[in-house]
Amino acid sequence: MQLFSDCLLNRMQYVINRNSKSCLKNISCGVPQGSVLGPILFIMYINNLLSCSKLTTELYVDDTYLCLSDKNLNDLQLAVNSELLKVDRWMRLNKLSRNNYKSSHMF
């Protein structure tokens, strides 16, 4: 457990934009990008996404595939929208966001 604590606690960051540097700020959540523990910590963090919705969920690294099927298009639309609200609520509670540029849907 000490390894995880050392990796996640007491982290700070700042931002450089052109020639300006922001103040140093404490980081209270997230996983350091590019760290050795990053992938396993992310999997542990996102693992319960599978239980927040009735959508079929497949996880691969930092990509997520959500699927639902129905013979009736109107029923499918209602069900998917309802389930996506659950996923959205789960993501907000876990301080995650969707990348709109990398997200798509298909029928």
Side-chain angles (χ1 to χ4, degrees):
M1 286 315 246
Q2 184 66 37
L3 180 64
F4 290 116
S5 295
D6 291 346
C7 182
L8 298 173
L9 297 177
N10 302 316
R11 293 181 297 130
M12 302 185 83
Q13 78 175 21
Y14 61 89
V15 176
I16 298 175
N17 184 8
R18 297 188 182 147
N19 294 328
S20 297
K21 180 177 165 181
S22 70
C23 298
L24 203 56
K25 298 281 184 176
N26 286 319
I27 304 298
S28 60
C29 65
V31 174
Q33 195 169 16
S35 69
V36 173
L37 291 175
I40 188 80
L41 291 173
F42 182 77
I43 289 168
M44 290 167 56
Y45 186 68
I46 199 169
N47 195 44
N48 72 339
L49 169 63
L50 303 171
S51 62
C52 84
S53 162
K54 294 177 184 174
L55 294 169
T56 299
T57 306
E58 298 290 336
L59 303 173
Y60 180 74
V61 189
D62 63 349
D63 288 329
T64 306
Y65 166 83
L66 305 170
C67 182
L68 191 64
S69 63
D70 196 298
K71 292 180 181 179
N72 182 296
L73 186 57
N74 289 329
D75 291 344
L76 177 62
Q77 182 178 359
L78 289 171
V80 167
N81 285 333
S82 173
E83 294 304 311
L84 286 176
L85 287 174
K86 294 175 188 176
V87 171
D88 180 64
R89 184 174 26 252
W90 181 91
M91 290 180 72
R92 282 186 281 113
L93 287 170
N94 288 282
K95 299 181 180 174
L96 294 170
S97 61
R98 177 175 43 104
N99 184 334
N100 292 328
Y101 296 107
K102 291 176 63 180
S103 299
S104 61
H105 67 279
M106 70 175 105
F107 291 99

